[in-house]
Amino acid sequence: MTLKELLDKTVEYFKKKKIDQARLETELLLAEALHLKRIDIYLQFERPLQEDEVNRLRDLVTRRGKGEPLAYLTEKKEFYTREFFVNADVLIPRPETEMLVQQALATDAAAKKSPLKILDLGCGSGCLGLTLGLELPLSEVFLVDISPAALSVAEKNAQRFEIQDRCHFIETDAKNFHHELVFDFILANPPYISRDDTNVQKSVLDFEPSLALFADENGMQEIKNWLPVASKHLKPDGYFFLEHGFDQKEVIEKSLKTNEWFKSFKFLKDFSDLDRLLIASEPMK
Ligand code: GLN
């Protein structure tokens, strides 16, 4: 079988399986199985394939057919223009999470180019903390996660981007994080989906780590636990960036008003026009 024949066959199969971007996903998996750049596939259409190449692709295609996300099959996902290593131990970075980085980079503190201290609570792949660390080359980054497996992924990414000398990896539940340092930026994308949310996609439910997705109290438990931690560890002129669920703005606002963790805060919408981000500053604790 030639490369082109296998490509066509796979696209047909993915279409039958109702995979939206059948052609694109096929090309990406082919590139992975054949250790090629996607663009090079087109230069080798007529090449007959070796048995082991066909087998490698078949394995990936079967897994994709069962709903496993593409990012876990290729073990990569782009975030803020960089390619992060990901596996099933970490949440696949979502495009809307890039907003936290953009907002942090838009602050005066980032513009000053001074050595900043950055804390990523519940870091997963490390996409937030490492990206900000890379964008702010004088900074030092502290990455915290409850999952040792997730921390290894973050460490691997730190090495990939050669930033490990400026990184500290701390294995603890974010709600118990305690450090004598205070930080210029604290970023968090905690688990915030309600355990009884029926809108979660099957591939997310079946393959992504539930620890990184779901929380008690309608998805609010970790957010409520992490807010005081952020307040305690934020510099007087620092900023806390928190991703949250589209329906959680009101509860978070109420909680902030009753608890006086921060004197100042605002909410931003994501590019789908959904409430998604809290920016809090002037910590009171
Ligand atoms: N935005 C993610 C999703 O909808 C959830 C991320 C999270 O819980 N932190 O799948």
Side-chain angles (χ1 to χ4, degrees):
M1 191 162 18
T2 65
L3 197 158
K4 174 83 167 67
E5 285 164 351
L6 189 63
L7 186 141
D8 290 342
K9 226 174 109 178
T10 309
V11 172
E12 278 321 299
Y13 174 74
F14 278 171
K15 280 187 181 157
K16 245 188 3 220
K17 287 272 173 190
K18 307 254 179 296
I19 291 174
D20 280 346
Q21 294 181 297
R23 172 82 189 201
L24 173 68
E25 294 216 6
T26 301
E27 289 183 4
L28 291 170
L29 287 183
L30 254 175
E32 191 64 28
L34 307 183
H35 310 302
L36 289 176
K37 290 208 179 84
R38 192 175 143 216
I39 188 89
D40 292 334
I41 293 173
Y42 288 83
L43 305 175
Q44 302 192 9
F45 265 173
E46 300 313 320
R47 169 158 88 80
L49 294 173
Q50 314 280 336
E51 198 181 317
D52 63 322
E53 293 177 320
V54 178
N55 288 342
R56 272 206 303 274
L57 182 72
R58 186 181 299 121
D59 176 50
L60 293 172
V61 168
T62 310
R63 287 166 63 191
R64 186 68 191 98
K66 289 182 183 152
E68 189 166 345
L70 185 77
Y72 289 153
L73 300 176
T74 58
E75 297 194 314
K76 48 193 170 226
K77 181 71 187 181
E78 193 180 298
F79 184 81
Y80 211 84
T81 73
R82 292 182 186 86
E83 195 170 82
F84 277 74
F85 168 80
V86 292
N87 64 21
D89 294 320
V90 298
L91 195 75
I92 300 166
R94 308 286 200 263
E96 59 269 26
T97 305
E98 293 180 347
M99 245 177 94
L100 279 72
V101 175
Q102 278 162 358
Q103 290 297 321
L105 290 175
T107 58
D108 295 348
K112 272 194 246 145
K113 306 227 184 309
S114 50
L116 301 175
K117 299 252 186 293
I118 298 166
L119 172 63
D120 184 345
L121 287 177
C123 65
S125 63
C127 62
L128 280 173
L130 296 178
T131 301
L132 208 53
L134 288 158
E135 296 295 322
L136 303 168
L138 298 176
S139 59
E140 203 178 336
V141 189
F142 291 69
L143 300 116
V144 173
D145 208 287
I146 192 173
S147 153
L151 271 184
S152 321
V153 173
E155 239 176 302
K156 190 166 169 164
N157 280 316
Q159 277 155 12
R160 169 179 284 209
F161 301 124
E162 298 180 356
I163 184 186
Q164 71 274 21
D165 296 350
R166 295 191 277 124
C167 291
H168 308 267
F169 299 90
I170 303 166
E171 185 190 323
T172 180
D173 189 334
K175 71 168 182 279
N176 301 324
F177 174 76
H178 180 78
H179 208 288
E180 63 273 15
L181 278 180
V182 280
F183 295 84
D184 297 279
F185 293 134
I186 303 179
L187 305 117
N189 177 15
Y192 57 67
I193 302 179
S194 170
R195 294 198 190 276
D196 52 21
D197 189 330
T198 50
N199 294 318
V200 183
Q201 277 176 28
K202 187 162 162 29
S203 67
V204 175
L205 262 183
D206 287 351
F207 293 97
E208 298 203 58
S210 52
L211 193 63
L213 291 165
F214 299 100
D216 291 328
E217 294 180 40
N218 295 323
M220 277 300 298
Q221 189 172 58
E222 301 310 325
I223 290 183
K224 280 188 183 159
N225 287 338
W226 297 14
L227 280 165
V229 174
S231 161
K232 218 163 78 193
H233 290 90
L234 195 66
K235 282 190 187 173
D237 56 353
Y239 292 93
F240 175 43
F241 303 89
L242 173 83
E243 182 172 325
H244 60 77
F246 70 94
D247 53 356
Q248 291 169 335
K249 179 185 159 191
E250 274 74 33
V251 248
I252 295 175
E253 200 163 9
K254 211 169 129 200
S255 177
L256 285 171
K257 283 182 178 153
T258 8
N259 288 290
E260 303 195 322
W261 288 311
F262 299 95
K263 209 158 130 190
S264 163
F265 54 86
K266 66 173 177 181
F267 291 88
L268 294 183
K269 290 181 190 296
D270 65 16
F271 40 68
S272 311
D273 209 28
L274 299 170
D275 292 317
R276 184 66 63 200
L277 172 61
L278 162 74
I279 306 180
S281 54
E282 300 182 63
M284 301 208 263
K285 294 271 149 76

